[in-house]
Amino acid sequence: MSAVLNSCAAHLSTPVWNATCPASMDAQNIGPKPLHIPFYFAMRQNLIGDIPDTILTLAAPVIMFWTLSLCFHCLDISSWRWLDRYRIHESEEVKSRNLASRSEVFWTVFSQHVVQSLLGYIWLDEPQEISIVACQRGMEVVGEVLRRVMTCPAVPEAWQKVWELRGAEMTHWLYWWGVPAFQLLLSMFILDTWEYFLHRLMHSNKFLYKHFHSVHHRLYIPYAYGAMYNHPLEGFILDTCGALLASTISGLTVRQAMFFFTFSTAKGIHDHCGYNFPLDPFQFLSGNNVEYHDIHHQASVKSFAGVGLRTIGMKSNFSQPFFTHWDTILGTRMTKKDVEERKYRNKAKAT
């Protein structure tokens, strides 16, 4: 395995940060050749100054939430006419149809952040050792697993030849890119699954909807910091427990969890922001975007422009926050075109 790692160290791409292993390292490690680190990884124990990564993992999503929400709030209260073409709903519509005041939403979300932070502080482990030696040990483990897979008798000889020629590069890519990407996608899938089925249960069970989930749907017209406006118990189970469960099962490190929590927060805000901007990067991630989730919120409106909408979206678009696969597979996906068709049919029935 040492031979593979020595070759790996020699063939890695040009780094943003280089660290040279001490010459006194034993034969189990890479040796004196430079170990090249991908651009996204910081070879220091704390990512920012003297702030422990655990504290930063708890603070980053909260900072993201209020910073991004403030940006959208400034757009909401602005008088810029050019924004009208990108707003899904008029500003006056938000004021007249929402049943919760902005101050009530603010304090509810603030209390949920306090609960999340306290639970996260208890849940998070001490950060893993961040050092050259730790990276080498990790690469040895990944390389050994990959070697056993590529050289087992059931694998075609051609694959074994690939291992002999490109084993170092494969180990490097898998350690720095393949495994982290898989963990992130797995955590997203787990969170989506958790939220879809619980969210759907909240709508199908009258007791749960009336006493818990109806709080969130007091915002008929969502806005950015209303993304986390929930009954406290629902927020704890649906969001907090879901995120912790996803990160635990997928084996995220503290820094990976930091990214996952922060990105999930940004996605949730965007889904409720009320704006559909062109070239918005979130629009290209999946079909689960601001318009998709807005259809679900409109389900709770009894009447809009004289047309009953309670049955149009109430049982649709439960997926959040990333993808729409569960809605598609289980037949609960609804598009904007579907809404227009049902509105037309309702008008025809009314006349």
Side-chain angles (χ1 to χ4, degrees):
M1 197 61 225
S2 296
V4 172
L5 294 175
N6 283 330
S7 177
C8 182
H11 287 86
L12 301 186
S13 58
T14 303
V16 173
W17 186 93
N18 294 341
T20 302
C21 306
S24 60
M25 280 186 155
D26 58 50
Q28 297 297 319
N29 296 306
I30 293 178
K33 297 182 180 180
L35 174 66
H36 299 283
I37 311 299
F39 72 91
Y40 70 82
F41 193 84
M43 187 62 72
R44 50 181 178 270
Q45 196 60 37
N46 296 326
L47 195 59
I48 299 179
D50 295 328
I51 304 175
D53 279 355
T54 48
I55 300 300
L56 190 59
T57 299
L58 301 176
V62 177
I63 294 172
M64 169 62 76
F65 183 92
W66 291 111
T67 301
L68 191 56
S69 293
L70 180 60
C71 292
F72 281 115
H73 181 67
C74 290
L75 297 181
D76 289 342
I77 64 177
S78 71
S79 57
W80 296 332
R81 302 300 302 173
W82 63 269
L83 283 173
D84 292 345
R85 72 182 70 176
Y86 304 121
R87 285 191 177 106
I88 297 178
H89 300 281
E90 298 292 336
S91 298
E92 292 302 318
E93 191 179 359
V94 176
K95 296 177 183 178
S96 62
R97 295 173 64 193
N98 282 341
L99 301 181
S101 66
R102 287 187 177 267
S103 61
E104 180 182 351
V105 172
F106 173 86
W107 288 112
T108 300
V109 174
F110 178 82
S111 63
Q112 187 169 332
H113 276 149
V114 172
V115 172
Q116 283 185 345
S117 299
L118 291 175
L119 180 63
Y121 184 78
I122 297 171
W123 167 80
L124 282 174
D125 296 325
E126 287 298 315
Q128 294 83 352
E129 177 190 357
I130 305 296
S131 68
I132 298 170
V133 176
C135 291
Q136 292 168 336
R137 288 197 299 262
M139 290 183 72
E140 285 184 357
V141 173
V142 172
E144 179 61 21
V145 172
L146 185 60
R147 182 192 68 79
R148 293 186 179 187
V149 172
M150 295 289 290
T151 60
C152 73
V155 171
E157 186 176 346
W159 286 27
Q160 298 182 25
K161 190 65 174 178
V162 170
W163 166 252
E164 294 175 5
L165 296 175
R166 297 295 180 184
E169 290 89 340
M170 293 169 65
T171 300
H172 170 265
W173 181 88
L174 197 61
Y175 177 77
W176 290 113
W177 299 97
V179 173
F182 173 78
Q183 289 176 293
L184 179 60
L185 288 174
L186 178 60
S187 60
M188 294 167 71
F189 174 79
I190 293 171
L191 182 59
D192 272 2
T193 302
W194 177 266
E195 297 219 358
Y196 175 86
F197 287 101
L198 282 181
H199 189 191
R200 185 171 179 174
L201 178 63
M202 291 281 185
H203 277 273
S204 59
N205 185 288
K206 292 183 179 180
F207 176 85
L208 294 178
Y209 183 85
K210 179 180 179 180
H211 294 281
F212 299 100
H213 194 56
S214 61
V215 173
H216 184 66
H217 279 276
R218 295 181 70 194
L219 296 183
Y220 292 147
I221 313 298
Y223 49 83
Y225 64 89
M228 290 184 64
Y229 176 62
N230 299 302
H231 185 282
L233 184 58
E234 179 187 349
F236 173 76
I237 296 175
L238 195 69
D239 298 326
T240 306
C241 292
L244 296 181
L245 182 70
S247 62
T248 300
I249 294 177
S250 56
L252 299 184
T253 65
V254 171
R255 290 186 182 178
Q256 286 175 315
M258 185 191 308
F259 173 81
F260 175 61
F261 296 159
T262 305
F263 179 67
S264 300
T265 298
K267 183 66 170 61
I269 294 170
H270 183 273
D271 290 346
H272 293 79
C273 70
Y275 293 90
N276 187 8
F277 291 115
L279 303 179
D280 187 333
F282 283 105
Q283 301 285 354
F284 301 104
L285 290 175
S286 73
N288 198 339
N289 51 36
V290 60
E291 284 193 344
Y292 187 86
H293 193 67
D294 183 72
I295 291 172
H296 174 76
H297 269 266
Q298 293 310 302
S300 295
V301 183
K302 293 182 179 180
S303 178
F304 177 61
V307 181
L309 295 179
R310 179 168 292 278
T311 59
I312 287 184
M314 175 69 89
K315 303 298 183 181
S316 303
N317 295 10
F318 300 114
S319 293
Q320 56 185 37
F322 299 111
F323 305 113
T324 63
H325 55 274
W326 285 120
D327 276 322
T328 302
I329 293 171
L330 299 178
T332 55
R333 186 173 187 269
M334 180 171 288
T335 65
K336 190 175 181 180
K337 181 180 178 181
D338 295 330
V339 172
E340 295 300 324
E341 290 177 352
R342 293 198 183 188
K343 286 168 63 176
Y344 178 80
R345 289 197 297 267
N346 284 346
K347 282 184 179 180
K349 290 179 180 179
T351 57

